[in-house]
């Protein structure tokens, strides 16, 4: 990272912690309409995620379908470094099929979930507080025998009574869960509230020091990434996210955004991830390819516009010092800067591009070409190198014709 792009850099290495990246592109991500992946697509993505350096890959929900079972099993057998996780309801059949699917994994995790909020307890499950606790404890004990580790997620945790949430998490620790996930299942909370909840849980869950707290945020109010970062400030050391932010409804916290926020503002958050950031852009594009869903141009970090500059004033700044308008280098995420010529561009960028095309112009010539360029840019969205060559050709013909008339 170029220090010119960073704010304060006074972090000492001893202060810096580690956040685990739990990627759920292949589970929560594919739950979004239009993003289903078959086992071949999942396997390609899983290899790309391994190369990206994620710590845990949630490969699927084996009880959901035979193909999902097969996808999880194949991923479990073929990955070397990451932990492979499989989702399961707190039901014996779900747990057993997750265990079977994960059998070949070097490191396996069964990810159990059960709703804890009053709304979900009453309307979805029809269970009392104590019944929900008992179901969770029984399921965790069963899962513990079938995988290297068990994560317990309290579905709709952020709309759950904090004291009840702390109680069910305490029982989950006693039953053998080593990761406690408090998801904002419906993307309801704000950063301040999630910080409060994580601080509360770390103080009140029995055995809190022996487990890892995890955050899993949805983007219904556009706050998934901000909430994830807020959870990190309150001690979450696993964050659940997806490539391109895909997931239920408005999606999950976007992995590339969370990672680059932690990386770019390392002095503030004081944590590292194991992500090879240069793999972010290619991994994002692979997901777009396998799902057939393009990345929006304005998507942070990986969109076509994330490092594109069309405005003359910004282009002028960029030509003098990239840090004026870029807080990260595009190379850090495997992308490239582009200075796009269009109706908002100015003379500095035009001169630069013409020089790249071997047209060195004096100021008067540049003014004349600039006038023609603006007229063209008003008629079309952007001006390409071919357009510029045509424009220069016409300008040179006109100049020669004018000289001929004079002599
Ligand atoms: C917040 C999340 O993202 S949770 C993950 C959501 N993902 C998915 O649902 C994708 C995969 N799901 C599926 O393929 C199907 O829903 C299946 C195969 C898992 C289940 O299908 P079905 O058995 O037909 O049940 P259906 O989905 O209609 O209803 C859910 C049932 O699970 C129960 N249930 C829901 N969550 C849990 C849980 N965590 N633990 C135990 N039971 C649960 C519901 O109460 C309901 O039970 P009921 O059939 O006794 O009324
Ligand atoms: C299964 C859990 C973690 C989930 O996806 C959610 O609550 O959004």
């Amino acid at each position: 990272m170029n220090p010119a792009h960073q704010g304060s850099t006074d972090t000492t290495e001893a202060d810096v912690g580690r956040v685990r990246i739990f990627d759920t592109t292949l589970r929560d991500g594919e739950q979004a309409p239009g993003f289903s992946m078959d086992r071949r697509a999942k396997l390609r993505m899983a290899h790309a995620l391994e190369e990206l350096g994620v710590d845990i890959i949630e490969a699927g929900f084996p009880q959901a379908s035979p193909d999902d079972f097969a996808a999880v099993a194949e991923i479990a057998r073929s990955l070397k470094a990451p932990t492979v996780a499989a989702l399961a309801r707190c039901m014996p059949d779900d747990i057993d099929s997750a265990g079977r699917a994960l059998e070949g994994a070097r490191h396996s995790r069964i990810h159990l979930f059960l709703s804890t909020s009053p709304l979900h307890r009453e309307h979805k499950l029809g269970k009392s507080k104590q019944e929900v606790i008992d179901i969770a404890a029984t399921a965790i004990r069963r899962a513990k025998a079938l995988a290297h580790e068990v994560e317990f997620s309290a579905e709709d945790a952020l709309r759950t009574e904090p004291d009840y949430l702390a109680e069910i998490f305490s029982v989950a620790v006693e039953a053998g869960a080593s990761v406690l996930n408090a998801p904002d299942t419906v993307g309801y909370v704000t950063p301040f509230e999630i910080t409060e909840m994580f601080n509360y849980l770390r103080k009140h869950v029995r055995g809190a020091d022996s487990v890892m707290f995890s955050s899993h945020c949805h983007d219904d109010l556009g706050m998934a990434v901000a909430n994830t970062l807020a959870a990190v400030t309150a001690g979450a050391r696993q964050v659940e996210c997806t490539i391109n932010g895909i997931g239920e409804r408005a999606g999950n916290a976007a992995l590339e955004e969370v990672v680059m926020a932690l990386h770019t503002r390392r002095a503030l958050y004081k944590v590292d991830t194991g992500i090879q950031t240069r793999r972010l852009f290619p991994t994002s594009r692979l997901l777009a390819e396998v799902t057939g869903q393009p990345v929006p141009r304005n998507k942070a970090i990986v969109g076509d516009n994330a490092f594109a500059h069309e405005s003359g004033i910004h282009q002028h700044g960029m030509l003098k010092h990239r840090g004026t308008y870029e807080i990260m280098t595009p190379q850090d995420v495997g992308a490239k800067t582009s200075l796009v010529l269009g109706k908002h561009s100015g003379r500095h960028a035009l001169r630069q591009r013409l020089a790249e095309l071997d047209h060195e112009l004096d100021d008067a010539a540049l003014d004349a070409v600039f006038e023609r360029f603006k007229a063209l840019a008003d008629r079309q969205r952007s001006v390409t190198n071919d357009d510029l060559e045509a424009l220069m050709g016409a300008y040179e013909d006109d100049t020669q014709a004018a000289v001929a008339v004079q002599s």
Side-chain angles (χ1 to χ4, degrees), residues 7 10 116 120 154-155 172 189 248 257 291 294 321 339 381 385 399:
D10 58 358
T116 53
H120 282 222
E155 188 182 352
V189 297
E248 282 283 352
E257 296 176 24
T291 58
H321 190 296
L339 296 192
R381 276 223 175 91
N385 287 351
T399 312

Side-chain angles (χ1 to χ4, degrees), residues 192-251:
F192 174 72
E193 290 166 309
I194 204 165
T195 303
E196 277 201 323
M197 182 63 105
F198 274 78
N199 281 333
Y200 178 90
L201 292 172
R202 287 180 60 225
K203 192 160 164 211
H204 290 94
V205 171
R206 297 188 295 283
D209 290 344
S210 65
V211 294
M212 186 173 288
F213 283 88
S214 170
S215 159
H216 174 117
C217 296
H218 280 274
D219 210 30
D220 300 67
L221 293 173
M223 287 192 277
V225 171
N227 284 339
T228 302
L229 297 172
V232 169
T233 64
R237 284 296 173 267
Q238 172 179 288
V239 293
E240 305 195 356
C241 37
T242 60
I243 300 294
N244 299 342
I246 68 170
E248 282 283 352
R249 305 177 308 280

Side-chain angles (χ1 to χ4, degrees), residues 312-385:
I313 294 161
H314 293 213
Q315 291 176 326
H316 169 238
M318 284 291 294
L319 290 168
K320 300 282 180 196
H321 190 296
R322 306 171 76 99
T324 52
Y325 289 101
E326 280 182 353
I327 59 166
M328 326 159 231
T329 63
Q331 292 80 7
D332 269 353
V333 304
K336 286 195 193 110
T337 292
S338 59
L339 296 192
V340 177
L341 292 180
K343 77 177 249 201
H344 306 101
S345 303
R347 287 178 181 75
H348 286 281
L350 180 63
R351 187 196 286 281
Q352 159 94 8
R353 179 69 67 81
L354 288 173
E356 284 164 17
L357 298 173
D358 285 334
H359 298 288
E360 299 287 349
L361 303 185
D362 62 25
D363 288 350
L366 182 68
D367 280 348
V369 172
F370 187 62
E371 203 176 305
R372 292 163 184 244
F373 161 77
K374 277 284 185 181
L376 179 64
D378 262 342
R379 296 196 300 273
Q380 57 188 55
R381 276 223 175 91
S382 62
V383 176
T384 64
N385 287 351

Side-chain angles (χ1 to χ4, degrees), residues 27 31 61 63-64 87 89-91 113-114 124 155:
R27 198 280 297 170
Q31 282 175 206
F61 189 162
Q63 191 70 356
L87 189 71
R89 290 172 293 179
C90 289
M91 288 181 155
F113 70 99
L114 188 58
K124 261 185 59 179
E155 188 182 352

